[in-house]
Amino acid sequence: MTVRVRIAPSPTGKLHIGTARTAVFNWLFAHNQGGKFILRIEDTDTARSRSEYTESIKSGLAWLGLNWDEGPIFQSDRFHLYREKIQTLLDKGVAYRCYCTAEELEAMRSAQLARKEAPRYDNRHRNLTEEQEAAFLAEGRKPVIRFKIHDHREIVWKDLVRGTVTWKGSDLGGDMVIARAGDTEDLGVPLYNLVVVIDDIDMSITQVIRGEDHIANTAKQILLYEALGATVPQFAHTPLILNDKGQKLSKRDGVTSIDEFRKMGFLPEAMANYMCLLGWTPPDNEEIFSLEGAASQFSLDRVNKAGAKFDWGKLDWINSQYLHQMPAEQLVELLVPYWQQAGSEIDLEGHRPWLESLTAIIAPSLTRLTDCIAESRLLFGDSIKLDEKAKELLQQEGVAEIIKSVLAAIEDKPQLTESDAKGIIKEVTKTQKVKKGLVMRSLRAGLMGELTGPDLLQSWLLLNQKGWDKTRLHQACRELEIS
RNA sequence: GGUGCUGUAGGCAAAUUGGUAAAGCCCUCUGUCUUUCACGCAGAUGUUUGCGGGUUCAAGUCCCGUCAGCACUGCCA
């Protein structure tokens, strides 16, 4: 049988890292098995679902490289199918109408809690007579539809991640609501546990791979598969993504949407790579790999059972690895938007070759794309801002002379080559009778205004292309004379 | 309260059906390279698998108990 798996997000928020990670595992499994990966939008909760979130989910998955083979399928288009199935369950006598009000349910729950019992529905309307139903209707009550869960039932499945999982019917909270009262619809509005099952049957889903927070739902859903006379798919419950305190990662933890990670300067390849590692370890122990590479060796039995703590340090490291090995001509394209956003003074469109050289110089110090702003700060513009240490160095004996002789050497040279620059440094070292290190440091101070930064020779050549080396060195001389 | 799951160095983790534990990666530190920072390369620190029992020639792995953490316990998904 062809493997068919799906990711079924609810469009009630932007694409969440947890949803994306589940999508990664499904995608990996599908690609490993030569199966299909399907996108289904679970928007039965019309009050909370928004189309803009559907867009965020689609664009987020696409950005990560998680292409889907079928869909998106929208549950909101399929209410007719759900109603049909509800009727089937009603006809079979495995579902019934419950007329309890929210207040009654609440009273029941608090009474149970007061008695230190597990809160659950006591199945009180399971066997109502026609007269009783008529009486409730006459009161104006709107029924929900409940599916019978027998306490003595034992539900067992072989989880692809966790092994054999056993659940008692009595621990499922009583007969479950599969449709809530609708304003017009006699059969109500179908709810999550029901529609998931109906769709997974209808779409011939063979493996359901989702977060472990769904384990209890799985037990309920298996009962529905049986009631609908369908084959039960295989299940795999993946560990949750945890924050640094060990709790399920939530919106309160700050950055959780894929959109935010993108804006923070993470590459899609790095994100996808890291998400694979959130609960899975490749057999070859390599930690840098593409989705395709991971898919070729993916298996659910290497998925961890313990929660996966989100490790920012590791994500940063992975991102830096991708950044460092990316060709400058490709990287520069990704950097330009950040420079633009930061309001760079120079014309970013008209200076691709220059920007590409700049990119090559700063690339090794980038961890996130956003770092390009800080790392290139000293290379933009015709002037410098001397920090304390640079000022101190420039005031050392002989330094002013070094700067002046360099200036003299470049004054009427339009464009320096690397060997020109090296020659000048050598020459100045000789004529001023100083060590090369002092020349380099002096030059760095005068050219950059600070004593640390990327490779000096390359930086100089970059500035030279714009004529900024002359303006900056002149400025350094002026400031030296004033102080 | 109930049910379920998890517990290996600072972090992520590896360890075929029980067979020498701490592989690998991140972080930290040191060395190296360099004018400097970063990158790269080389090396180092960390320790006995939450705790207590049991089975066994042998237990991270199996069993019992205990503690801790997390998840679920909706007319949300």
Side-chain angles (χ1 to χ4, degrees), chain A residues 72-101:
Chain A
I73 290 159
F74 292 88
Q75 292 188 320
S76 54
D77 291 340
R78 300 156 63 81
F79 280 105
H80 63 280
L81 174 64
Y82 309 139
R83 287 189 198 110
E84 189 185 301
K85 296 299 179 187
I86 291 170
Q87 190 57 250
T88 305
L89 295 173
L90 249 12
D91 292 344
K92 280 188 177 174
V94 293
Y96 62 91
R97 290 187 171 79
C98 165
Y99 296 85
C100 291
T101 62

Side-chain angles (χ1 to χ4, degrees), chain A residues 15 56 67 92 113 118 182 201 204 215 219 226 238 243 257 261-262 292 300 306 329 352 359 361 406 440 453 458:
Chain A
L15 180 60
S56 166
N67 56 302
K92 280 188 177 174
L113 250 15
I201 294 170
S204 304
I215 287 192
E226 292 174 357
T238 65
N243 64 20
S257 81
F261 282 101
R262 184 178 57 74
E292 288 75 18
L300 289 166
E329 56 175 304
R352 281 308 154 101
T359 298
I361 293 172
V406 170
M440 294 301 276
Q458 296 307 318

